[in-house]
Amino acid sequence: MSRTGWLKLLYPVVVIGGIAVVIWLRLRFEWPLSFVLLVAGLLLTPGRIASFQLREFLRGLRAFELEKFLEAEHRFLNFLREVRANPAKKRWMYLLWGMYSWDIAAMAHNNLGAIYVMRGEAHAAERDLEAALAIDDLYAKPHYNLAMVEFLRGADRGRIEARLAEAKRLGYDGGSYDQLISAGQALLA
């Protein structure tokens, strides 16, 4: 199973397991509801801190979802400049849940590539998508987007299908679960 497949499987297990543990602790030790809410708030704090540290990336993601591609491009480029100036900033991603990649710079390059695909800029798209894969070679989404680049260039069906097959092998096929994940990420951005 691919890394993405494991993460897709593990995420609901972690969430449901965490909820079950909190419920069990509340019932076992008769914690008051206010204490349970305090614990829940403390558990959610690291993700909020990470969101603050990665705000330029998340704002770019929000702009992308709203199809404000120029703003999204600007924010992702700014974020990549921030990461180059302070590489430790990437570590904040570990407090969030990266379903497809744990490297947020790879994600920014993939998103820039997707923007360029939307604008029909095949060369720029390929440059950023290949940069994403150079950072994280197990990241499935750039392969999916490179299939779109091949389509833009009028490549033969075999090359396009090979890219799509690689994306699927790595855990991304653009199906309903992937769409649900994208919608959830957009809400959190």
Side-chain angles (χ1 to χ4, degrees), residues 1-13 97-101 138 140 167-172 177-178 181:
M1 182 179 287
S2 68
R3 175 186 68 189
T4 298
W6 280 110
L7 291 171
K8 286 179 180 180
L9 183 66
L10 190 58
Y11 183 74
V13 170
W97 191 274
M99 193 66 69
Y100 303 104
S101 177
L138 296 177
K168 188 172 186 171
R169 184 186 73 76
L170 292 172
Y172 184 81
Y177 191 64
D178 290 315
I181 292 166

Side-chain angles (χ1 to χ4, degrees), residues 42-60:
L42 290 174
L43 291 174
L44 293 174
T45 299
R48 294 297 93 206
I49 293 170
S51 295
F52 177 75
Q53 292 294 324
L54 303 174
R55 67 187 170 279
E56 194 68 14
F57 174 85
L58 294 172
R59 287 175 180 164

